Amino acid sequence: MVTIKDLNTPKKNTWCPGCGNFGILSAFKGALVELGFEREQVVMVSGIGCHGKINDYVNVNGFHGIHGRVLPLATGIKLVNPDLTVIGFSGDSDCYDEGWDHFCHAIRRNIDITLIVHNNMILGLTTGQATSTSMPGFKTKSTPFGAIPPALNPLAHALVAHGTFVARGFAGDPKHLQSLIVEAVRHKGFGYIDVFQPCVTFNYLNTYDWFRKRVYKLQDEGHDVTSREKAIEKSFEWGDRIPIGIFYKEERPTYRDNLTHIKNTPLTKVPIDDVNINSLLEEMK
Amino acid sequence: MVTIKDLNTPKKNTWCPGCGNFGILSAFKGALVELGFEREQVVMVSGIGCHGKINDYVNVNGFHGIHGRVLPLATGIKLVNPDLTVIGFSGDSDCYDEGWDHFCHAIRRNIDITLIVHNNMILGLTTGQATSTSMPGFKTKSTPFGAIPPALNPLAHALVAHGTFVARGFAGDPKHLQSLIVEAVRHKGFGYIDVFQPCVTFNYLNTYDWFRKRVYKLQDEGHDVTSREKAIEKSFEWGDRIPIGIFYKEERPTYRDNLTHIKNTPLTKVPIDDVNINSLLEEMK
Amino acid sequence: MKVNEFSLMIGGEAGEGITRAGFLFAKACMRGGLHVFGTNDYQSLIRGGHNFYVARISAEEVYSQADFVDLLIAFNAETIQLHRTELASGGGIVYDKDDSAVNDEFIGRKDLKLFPIPLRKTVIEQFREQPLLKNAIVLGATIAIVGYDLGLFEKVLKDTFKAEVAESNIKASRIGYDYAKNNFADDFEYRLKKKDSVDKQRIFVEGNEAIGLGALRAGCKFYAGYPMTPTTGLLHFMAANERKYDIIVIPPEGEIAAANMIAGAAFAGVRAMTATSGGGFCLMSEALGMMGMTELPVVIVMGQRPGPSTGLPTYSAQGDLRFVIHAGQGEFPRVVIAPGDIEECFYETMRAFNWAEKYQMPVILLTDKYLVESQRSVEPFDINRVKIERGAIITGQYTEQEEYKRHKITETEVSPRAFPLTKGAIVRTSADEKDEYGYTTEDPELTTKNADKRMRKLVCLTKELEERGIETVKFYGPEDAQATIISWGSTKGPLLEAMKLLSRENIAVNYLQIIYLHPFPARKVAKILGTAKKTIAIEHNVTSQLSSLIRDNNLRDVDHKILKYDGRPFNPGALTQKIKEVL
Amino acid sequence: MKVNEFSLMIGGEAGEGITRAGFLFAKACMRGGLHVFGTNDYQSLIRGGHNFYVARISAEEVYSQADFVDLLIAFNAETIQLHRTELASGGGIVYDKDDSAVNDEFIGRKDLKLFPIPLRKTVIEQFREQPLLKNAIVLGATIAIVGYDLGLFEKVLKDTFKAEVAESNIKASRIGYDYAKNNFADDFEYRLKKKDSVDKQRIFVEGNEAIGLGALRAGCKFYAGYPMTPTTGLLHFMAANERKYDIIVIPPEGEIAAANMIAGAAFAGVRAMTATSGGGFCLMSEALGMMGMTELPVVIVMGQRPGPSTGLPTYSAQGDLRFVIHAGQGEFPRVVIAPGDIEECFYETMRAFNWAEKYQMPVILLTDKYLVESQRSVEPFDINRVKIERGAIITGQYTEQEEYKRHKITETEVSPRAFPLTKGAIVRTSADEKDEYGYTTEDPELTTKNADKRMRKLVCLTKELEERGIETVKFYGPEDAQATIISWGSTKGPLLEAMKLLSRENIAVNYLQIIYLHPFPARKVAKILGTAKKTIAIEHNVTSQLSSLIRDNNLRDVDHKILKYDGRPFNPGALTQKIKEVL
Ligand SMILES: Cc1ncc(C[n+]2csc(CCOP(=O)(O)OP(=O)(O)O)c2C)c(N)n1
Ligand SMILES: Cc1ncc(C[n+]2csc(CCOP(=O)(O)OP(=O)(O)O)c2C)c(N)n1
Ligand code: SF4
Ligand code: SF4
Ligand SMILES: [Mg+2]
Ligand SMILES: [Mg+2]
């Protein structure tokens, strides 16, 4: 079983001092230790953005893919080898803009992976432009006169897409976040956590303080995680009070559960040196 | 003002006899007449699929684009020239699979266009495979052992994406559909209509009969179109009774309304022969 | 009388089961020891429009359709109108007796035999309006007209359909057979006779199926594919076999997802594949670069059709050669293989997986509609010709002293692969430039080294191909010839037929088929072109892309280009004519 | 003493405002009548890592950075460690007096002047921890060290910042200036002197801005762009000017949306543009084909960086030449223009819009990070050099007898455009093959005709380019030379500098810059190569893609290839060396 030390890598961390990503990193490492994994069991899949650098900072298997494609990559890995624990790390633009195509579909399929979205409400690595979760009026280099549309509500989308585990964390509360990650990974099915991740360099609006003043924990207030309607309602709560925690949780067969012919077999273990195609050839005669 | 006859084209219609697309075509033509447009005012934008052929069958301006990209194309056209009435025709795979990236974002932006999705719950033109709106268990050539995930609920997504006009029609009731199209086009903002469109050739499950037995009109039952929650709830009604009609309607500034510098000016009318860049050059000295 | 040299066309509207009818007839012929080639022509629509299937049947091996039709089964008058000029003198037309549009004047030719048969009437009266049974009726009649064996046809029906369906089809075919026997003189010029002893049992298989068989045999375990003509058939084939072969076939939300899913599957350690056409390939091109960068083995089947853009979605073309060679930003190794016939579809698919894994890079099988949607009777594939070779893989446990390096720079340019869950190995990769461990880097020296490493894999592959004598090109015809024809892909079939025709006229040409387009077998091409008297490139594109590759690699131009880019394949006779024009 | 020939480097961590500091200094120099070139080097991260900006200042026109650094402003010890070998003998280092890591031993060179300055201390004591003010301090000091005019610098600060910010910067710069004056002997070898009379006011502008200015001047009215290094600066420029220029700048959900949005805008009738880099271009490639097919005029700015895949996202490369020429299935016309310097960025952008509209096809401006993110002092652009030419457009009302045909086949190959809402005209188009009215078709003859029509547009364009004497290539240096260098894009700058160096050694080479890569100016290239004694291609890629184009178009290879693909530009001296090696 892995220790925090085992998880360290020789790579110098280049996130801005104080960046919310540090909270996610420490919560994640803590969760891996808490879950008692071996390093070989875990695969991190990350997108392109500041968030994506997390791959360099945790010493487990990792695939730092292209922008927006965390979910199909992770899907391919997990379906092929269900013995792996596959965890995706995406950004708000990575997941909700460029990669939006995949989000609702991966959730519908209930692929048995975890997705952590570093939602800093900005494109960080490209030096600060508005994303779909940026608040209307938010001024950035791409929106010098203010972002126009209402912000995307990714949690609501996950919920109406039949998500089976929908949660939100805050990088400023890594302990709470760690508990969410642990639950999400243990969840059989698609575990989704959107994480408020202050970008201290470019997001002058949604700062630690801004969040700290507003966030409260659903689980402190007796929220019913079995009600999808309630969860949708909560996902729209935005203003003086913003909820974090588990919004919704349900058990439903995963995509792989439906593949009854292979059940839990890793396809990597199916021999391929002499696949018999004779009966197919016979049919073609 | 255009008549039905003006709208005919010399192209031979190649939809399968009885295809739900005929209902959409006649409802649309009827709506154009009812709205009293001139042919030059209207631009149809269509995707690739059986639905996309509609471009050949209505004699107005038209852009038959590539698969999945109706919305960004329509967005570009409308933003540039707000005097045009832009109407998108998409398929369930075109819009909810390949083009899913754009759906929620165009809705959020509240681009002032209309979108009609020919939802036959199948890929028609490629000879019958499952799409994201196919019902679980649905057997097709791509899913010979049954489609796996729960069907996507596009209306719910439109609603949580801050849609301002969300409706569903049925190709088997073209008169009702026509009234929806008229309302959607008149709506200032993104008018979205998902249309149940029986594919008589490949969709053996969701037939005219299947729908006729189930659909009922929200407006017959005093549905409150101003309540988003109610609308979301209704969008999940699926079984013996399935609602059609207007689920939700609201006024909210369109994307263009926010571009105060150009207001309603068509950019096509802004002269370009001598744009003055001197002040910018001056700043660089 | 012409025995066992016959070209049949069945034409009508889409949705009438024409392709299936052609398939059934062809198979019956094949089982009688005859050789068959079949191909279809249809528009991008589901009903209506005009569709046709042509089957060419011969005692000798056949590689393509013929220029002329000997017997036309016309389900509507339009079919006659469109194809009457293609009919051979002495040929015939089978049509519905009750089609009032068809009469002598309409047909307008006196040199044809007419075979009117009550079709709709029979269907209505005897088969409670099951319209597809008219296929069985006309095929039964056709068998009578050409004097073939109805029993063989009945057996095909039995083997193809469920008992009940087979039965009504058999009944219908007998009605057609008897009607023709009773109503038409037995003097049709064209005859089909089954061989007395059938030496070899052949299979009747289309390109998509041959690729699918190759993939299954090669151990492909993960297939993600979004439908797109002309490779949709491959998706269907793989999906149908998902459970039987313990594989996963997943319908993704689009091609971007498909490509990234197979990348994930390959990273996890299985052989993975997708198929698409041009538009989908565009969407995959970003992931293609990622596969090159992360050294992932995948196979991508690309079925060409006429572009640009959606173009003619159900027709055939060869306009994407340069595109697939250069798709994706930056420079990375890939292999582009263009099988030219059904057999090559099978064997090259098997090889594709081997190159992919041995050299850890994407392999593109560049096909087209004419290749993957045409059928041919061929000898059952030799399933042992291409052995599985997976390259350097660390199995079991990783036990070396040094930490595992997924992207280790080695002398062979290949870094042994471990898959996630290999005890002792952490497997890390990145679409960014990276060090040997897979950590991202921006170091200039490492960047140069890695680029060299990646590109040198092509050098090593080229060496292996040469040393093992892999047929990266094939050469047909006499060494000494008036001209050398150069082509790639599906033009092979009509070209082999054209060469038969030319040799009948004592015109000697030879033919260089290029199967491996990238890396380009420049040495072999140079050798053959070096002695060629005159060179002719034959392609289905506007700019003669193969000539461009030859100029680029061999610094010489091809003398003549015969180009056709209307979506339709060459007919052998017409092609012969074009060749003669430039000789 | 070296006057007005000076190379400055400012290095430190990302986030320290280094590029901005370089910009301010450079601008102050420019305003004194000096020529300046500036470029930056940074990693794909926001804070930390190592960043540097180099400015080269000269009395003569300068085209690139120099090989050596005359004065290094080092914000940390790492900067000294990384760059000490690049310092010219007699050069100097400005650094924080209180950085305990830096001492003589650490610097390890005796031939340098050291200028320790209290930086952090001053910031803490005098500027309430505003760390960015240390830039002003060191720049003030630098001005003192090289004996330049502080007033000019103060003016730049005033013009750049809001009053308050300017004031504290001025204060800080004075502290630095005074400190240096008081503490260091006035014997630094390198001197900057403003010219007595500044003949021409120049502008200091980077490639992205030059393109943006060209686009605005050309009347671009719609810009959709998703951020991607190195063209993000263009997005920012366009967004900043949205309101002032009555245009729309929309941030889309990704590049696929961007490309389709500009296609829509172009169809509706305005000049539209997007910009991206390789990965985004992959995603646009499907829409690119659609633009070719639907004959839409758009301009796509492509900024290259090292691939494959994400590669080195903040560095420079030229690996995408073949990719952009061939991207998209099928064959369709496009123009690929590679500006080589700031001026060409402006003028070729203006031309790009003209070709796009006149020939109704996409035009790709192929740039790279080194070009679009470097700055140079240049003469203000001649805004009237390139006139707006929009090609055949039906304005007002369509009044012809025959129905309007958007895709009419004409003698000029161009179908006059009407935009939707033109009275009397229905404007219809399709990504499928289509007839003249824009209705889809699968007809073989029409398909051939349309393909020919589309491709012939390139022939017509080529003719126009020749007839009007558009500089599709440029030629530098003596006609009679030992060798001819051929290159494209941003290698131009270092190359012009290298030629200066070579001519000082009396080595005569000349230089053929290819600006229009597609359609390829084969005739002009042939003419020049015909007389070349020896040819050398200089590129930032692995396979020498320009050589491949030359082989393909001119049937001759380039004799030598000098290739560098580590993301960094050539330095003139190093390049000179390489050239001499192959002479
Ligand atoms: C296809 C593509 N388009 C654009 C980019 C440029 N790019 C790099 S990071 C990034 C997005 C960063 O935003 P986000 O996903 O929110 O991540 P963050 O940096 O905020 O963590 C973009 C657009 C890219 N790498 N690939
Ligand atoms: C990029 C791309 N991928 C795949 C295709 C092939 N294709 C043609 S139509 C179609 C989808 C048809 O489904 P849908 O959008 O539901 O339309 P329908 O035919 O049912 O009206 C597909 C996938 C394509 N044209 N482009
Ligand atoms: S730019 Fe923002 S998100 Fe990126 S590392 Fe810095 S603080 Fe974090
Ligand atoms: S296949 Fe289905 S959707 Fe397409 S035309 Fe036929 S019935 Fe309509
Ligand atoms: Mg972000
Ligand atoms: Mg559909």
Side-chain angles (χ1 to χ4, degrees), chain C residues 43-44 256 278-279 282-283 285-286 289-290 292-293 302 307-315 319-320 322-323 326-332 431-433 441-445 447-448 451-452 454-455 541-545 548 551-553 555-557 565-568, chain D residues 43-44 256 278-279 282-283 285-286 289-290 292-293 302 307-315 319-320 322-323 326-332 431-433 441-445 447-448 451-452 454-455 541-545 548 551-553 555-557 565-568:
Chain C
Q43 292 160 293
S44 182
I256 297 178
C282 284
L283 295 170
S285 58
E286 195 195 4
M290 178 182 78
M293 185 56 141
M302 163 72 173
S309 203
T310 315
L312 266 61
T314 57
Y315 287 87
D320 305 340
R322 275 283 186 191
F323 173 40
H326 301 289
Q329 75 271 25
E331 292 154 300
F332 56 92
D432 282 54
E433 197 54 90
T441 183
E442 281 150 327
D443 180 73
E445 269 151 57
T447 299
T448 306
D452 288 340
R454 284 189 296 264
M455 295 308 281
N541 57 46
V542 188
T543 57
S544 193
Q545 298 188 24
S548 143
R551 285 196 299 275
D552 191 351
N553 285 285
L555 279 178
R556 65 172 278 178
D557 203 359
Y565 39 94
D566 62 359
R568 278 69 176 176
Chain D
Q43 292 158 294
S44 182
I256 298 178
C282 285
L283 294 170
S285 58
E286 196 195 4
M290 178 183 77
M293 184 56 141
M302 163 73 173
S309 203
T310 314
L312 266 60
T314 56
Y315 287 86
D320 304 340
R322 275 282 186 191
F323 173 40
H326 301 289
Q329 75 270 26
E331 291 154 300
F332 55 93
D432 282 54
E433 196 53 90
T441 183
E442 279 149 328
D443 181 73
E445 269 151 57
T447 299
T448 306
D452 288 340
R454 285 188 295 263
M455 294 309 281
N541 57 45
V542 188
T543 58
S544 192
Q545 299 187 24
S548 145
R551 285 195 300 274
D552 191 350
N553 285 284
L555 280 178
R556 65 171 280 179
D557 203 359
Y565 38 94
D566 61 359
R568 278 69 176 175

Side-chain angles (χ1 to χ4, degrees), chain D residues 244-367:
Chain D
K244 188 163 166 187
Y245 284 90
D246 282 356
I247 65 177
I248 294 178
V249 177
I250 185 168
E253 55 272 24
E255 292 86 352
I256 298 178
N260 283 279
M261 282 179 181
I262 65 166
F267 176 74
V270 303
R271 293 188 156 194
M273 177 162 89
T274 186
T276 186
S277 181
F281 193 84
C282 285
L283 294 170
M284 292 182 180
S285 58
E286 196 195 4
L288 185 74
M290 178 183 77
M291 295 159 180
M293 184 56 141
T294 55
E295 311 198 68
L296 287 179
V298 300
V299 174
I300 300 176
V301 180
M302 163 73 173
Q304 296 167 101
R305 56 193 218 186
S309 203
T310 314
L312 266 60
T314 56
Y315 287 86
S316 201
Q318 300 184 306
D320 304 340
L321 176 54
R322 275 282 186 191
F323 173 40
V324 303
I325 291 177
H326 301 289
Q329 75 270 26
E331 291 154 300
F332 55 93
R334 77 194 83 189
V335 182
V336 178
I337 308 176
D341 59 28
I342 301 286
E343 290 92 336
E344 288 164 7
C345 282
F346 178 80
Y347 298 114
E348 294 307 331
T349 300
M350 290 205 64
R351 288 211 179 91
F353 280 101
N354 285 350
W355 308 138
E357 282 204 297
K358 285 187 81 171
Y359 292 94
Q360 305 179 19
M361 52 167 117
V363 178
I364 297 158
L365 282 170
L366 187 58
T367 69

Side-chain angles (χ1 to χ4, degrees), chain C residues 78-305:
Chain C
E78 188 192 11
T79 300
I80 299 176
Q81 198 179 359
L82 289 169
H83 298 285
R84 62 183 142 205
T85 59
E86 294 164 46
L87 273 156
S89 192
I93 306 179
V94 177
Y95 59 97
D96 193 335
K97 195 170 181 296
D98 304 310
D99 189 336
S100 57
V102 184
N103 53 39
D104 282 6
E105 201 190 344
F106 178 82
I107 293 170
R109 280 179 63 171
K110 300 240 142 60
D111 58 340
L112 303 176
K113 298 253 176 232
L114 301 186
F115 306 106
I117 293 179
L119 274 180
R120 255 188 68 69
K121 192 153 163 274
T122 311
V123 166
I124 292 170
E125 287 173 4
Q126 309 217 18
F127 296 104
R128 280 166 297 127
E129 303 263 359
Q130 292 179 63
L132 292 187
L133 284 177
K134 68 181 174 189
N135 287 305
I137 301 172
V138 293
L139 293 176
T142 301
I143 287 169
I145 291 165
V146 298
Y148 197 59
D149 187 321
L150 189 65
L152 279 174
F153 185 66
E154 289 178 356
K155 184 72 177 42
V156 170
L157 291 172
K158 269 189 204 138
D159 294 349
T160 307
F161 297 114
K162 284 192 218 125
E164 208 182 328
V165 182
E167 210 178 299
S168 51
N169 269 282
I170 289 173
K171 196 178 147 201
S173 67
R174 286 200 185 138
I175 290 173
Y177 186 86
D178 293 341
Y179 185 90
K181 277 272 178 240
N182 296 335
N183 288 277
F184 308 127
D186 191 22
D187 64 351
F188 190 52
E189 169 102 23
Y190 299 86
R191 296 285 146 159
L192 290 179
K193 297 231 166 315
K194 76 168 170 182
K195 293 217 174 148
D196 295 336
S197 69
V198 175
D199 47 344
K200 274 186 201 134
Q201 282 226 321
R202 295 200 186 79
I203 57 176
F204 193 61
V205 48
E206 73 166 30
N208 273 324
E209 290 168 336
I211 294 171
L213 286 166
L216 289 178
R217 174 70 184 156
C220 174
K221 287 277 158 275
F222 188 87
Y223 183 96
Y226 189 74
M228 190 159 196
T229 309
T231 58
T232 310
L234 178 53
L235 163 64
H236 295 166
F237 180 89
M238 296 302 281
N241 287 297
E242 182 184 20
R243 304 250 149 148
K244 190 163 164 186
Y245 284 91
D246 282 358
I247 64 178
I248 294 178
V249 177
I250 185 168
E253 54 272 24
E255 291 87 352
I256 297 178
N260 283 279
M261 281 178 182
I262 65 166
F267 176 73
V270 303
R271 293 188 155 195
M273 176 161 89
T274 186
T276 186
S277 182
F281 193 83
C282 284
L283 295 170
M284 291 181 180
S285 58
E286 195 195 4
L288 185 74
M290 178 182 78
M291 295 158 181
M293 185 56 141
T294 55
E295 311 198 71
L296 287 181
V298 299
V299 175
I300 299 177
V301 180
M302 163 72 173
Q304 296 167 100
R305 55 193 219 187

